[in-house]
Amino acid sequence: MRIVIADPLAYSDSFERALRAALPSTDFVRWPDLADGAEYDLLVAWHLPKEMIAVPRSLRAIFCFGAGTDQLLNDPRIPADLPIARLQDQGQAEQLLDYAMHAVFARLHDDVATRADQHARLWRLPHRQNRTRGSLRTAVLGLGPLGLHVARGLSAAGFPVSAWSRNPRRIDGVACLHGDEGLGPCVDGADVVVNLLPSRHETKGILSDWLFSRLAPGAYVVNLGRGDHLDEEALRAALDRGWLGAAWLDVFSVEPLPPEHWFWRHERIRLTPHRAGLPTPQGVAASIAAVVAALEQGRRLPGLVRSGEAD
Ligand code: GLV
C-alpha cells in the first residue's frame, strides 16, 4: 500500500512519527516529493493540490484530512466513483468543544460588553442578571460526530442545549429538532448558536437575518462550519444594531481572510484562522490506519462520505 500525504499540516515530524507507528509497513510519500506520474493507492488531502491535473488511475480512495469534505466533493478532478472517507479524530472533536465552550463562557460573562465598559472606564453591573449556566440557552446546528460531541459536552457542563439536524436524532439531555420546520424552534431564544453543519446547497447562508432575529438579544454566533453558512451582511447589520452581542468566526468564504475584510476590525468579532479544531497526529494516524485496513480487507471504509457505488 502506497500513501501520498498532501497536506502541509501533516509534513511535521510528529505526524510522520504517528503515521509510521500506526502503519509500520506502509510506504508514505509527501506530495512535494512525489515523482511525476507515480502511482499510489490512497491520497490524504484536505483539498487536492492546485498543481494536480488528475488523480492517478491506481488511486483506490481519498482520505479527507479534515471532517468537512465539501472541498473534495465539489472538485471536478475527482471521479464520481472514487470513494472518499473523512477524518474521524477525537482530538479534533475535543478542540472544537473547547472552542465552543470558550465562546459560551464569554457570553455567560458578557465578555464583549464588559471589555467595552472597561475601555470606557464605566463601572456597571452585568447586562445579564442571571449568570448561571442553567440559564444560558445554547443551540448546536449539525449533529455529525463533531456537532454531537459539542452538544453532549455543553449539556454535560450544565448548559441547556437544543440541537438541529437534517434527520431525527435522540440524544440524552439534548432537545433534538430536525428538518426545515425544526430549525426555528431549535434557535428560538438561544443565547449562543454554534454552527457545525456541513456545507451543502441547502445549508448555504443558514446563519441569516431570519435566524439571528429568533435568537435572544445579545446572543453570540459561533461559526465552526464553513464560511458560506454565514450571510455576512446580515451579520454586520445584526451586530451594528446591537441585536447580536458578538460573533466568533473560525471559517470564512475566502481563506486566508483578505486583510481588507471588515471582519478583522469589527470590535464584536473574534476571529481565528480556521484552527478551532486541528487534526491531531494520533487521531489522523488511527483514522488512516482504519481506512487502510478496510481497503485491504475489502470492507466499507470507516468515515465513508461517498462510496462511488450507485445506490
Ligand atoms: C475543518 O475545516 C475540517 O473540515 O475538519
Side-chain angles (χ1 to χ4, degrees):
M1 172 85 50
R2 192 165 202 225
I3 303 185
V4 169
I5 311 278
D7 192 296
L9 256 189
Y11 296 163
S12 67
D13 290 347
S14 52
F15 269 100
E16 186 156 337
R17 270 197 304 279
L19 288 169
R20 295 215 181 282
L23 288 158
S25 54
T26 302
D27 179 18
F28 290 102
V29 184
R30 292 178 185 172
W31 162 256
D33 304 332
L34 191 70
D36 276 351
E39 302 275 282
Y40 47 92
D41 305 279
L42 182 66
L43 175 68
V44 174
W46 192 64
H47 52 63
L48 293 198
K50 279 205 274 304
E51 322 76 47
M52 184 183 273
I53 295 160
V55 298
R57 288 157 66 111
S58 58
L59 197 65
R60 295 166 65 190
I62 296 185
F63 177 89
C64 178
F65 191 78
T69 49
D70 47 296
Q71 62 292 341
L72 294 173
L73 292 172
N74 296 331
D75 192 319
R77 292 171 293 175
I78 303 177
D81 59 356
L82 190 66
I84 298 177
R86 70 200 276 292
L87 171 67
Q88 295 180 297
D89 178 358
Q90 186 59 20
Q92 184 186 36
E94 283 170 21
Q95 293 167 67
L96 287 164
L97 171 59
D98 283 351
Y99 190 103
M101 203 72 105
H102 189 186
V104 167
F105 276 108
R107 175 68 195 101
L108 189 64
H109 289 280
D110 262 332
D111 201 43
V112 171
T114 305
R115 275 166 178 274
D117 286 355
Q118 181 180 342
H119 190 70
R121 302 181 193 194
L122 201 58
W123 182 277
R124 63 172 161 176
L125 288 175
H127 301 243
R128 277 175 64 83
Q129 291 299 311
N130 184 352
R131 295 190 307 145
T132 56
R133 294 185 194 186
S135 73
L136 195 96
R137 295 199 42 202
T138 64
V140 176
L141 307 183
L143 282 173
L146 300 177
L148 181 63
H149 188 71
V150 169
R152 283 196 173 129
L154 290 172
S155 170
F159 295 101
V161 183
S162 56
W164 182 75
S165 55
R166 194 168 31 168
N167 299 313
R169 299 292 300 268
R170 283 177 72 97
I171 303 166
D172 281 349
V174 175
C176 291
L177 294 127
H178 69 276
D180 290 346
E181 64 294 347
L183 182 59
C186 174
V187 298
D188 272 344
D191 296 292
V192 182
V193 60
V194 181
N195 174 45
L196 276 154
L197 285 165
S199 170
R200 301 281 183 266
H201 177 68
E202 325 76 79
T203 59
K204 280 197 195 340
I206 197 164
L207 300 175
S208 63
D209 189 43
W210 175 85
L211 187 143
F212 299 151
S213 68
R214 304 189 76 131
L215 303 177
Y220 282 18
V221 172
V222 185
N223 193 12
L224 303 175
R226 286 288 183 259
D228 64 11
H229 286 136
L230 176 65
D231 178 337
E232 296 187 5
E233 285 316 309
L235 177 71
R236 177 157 32 193
L239 287 171
D240 288 351
R241 69 170 198 275
W243 179 256
L244 288 182
W248 286 48
L249 308 177
D250 185 58
V251 287
F252 305 91
S253 289
V254 178
E255 294 184 1
L257 185 66
E260 63 280 6
H261 199 287
W262 63 270
F263 283 167
W264 288 107
R265 297 180 310 277
H266 201 287
E267 59 183 9
R268 289 167 186 251
I269 288 183
R270 291 280 295 266
L271 70 83
T272 40
H274 204 146
R275 60 106 177 108
L278 292 177
T280 64
Q282 285 70 25
V284 169
S287 193
I288 294 180
V291 167
V292 168
L295 275 175
E296 284 174 346
Q297 294 156 19
R299 283 189 285 108
R300 184 186 162 84
L301 306 186
L304 192 69
V305 283
R306 186 178 76 180
S307 69
E309 290 160 13
D311 288 325

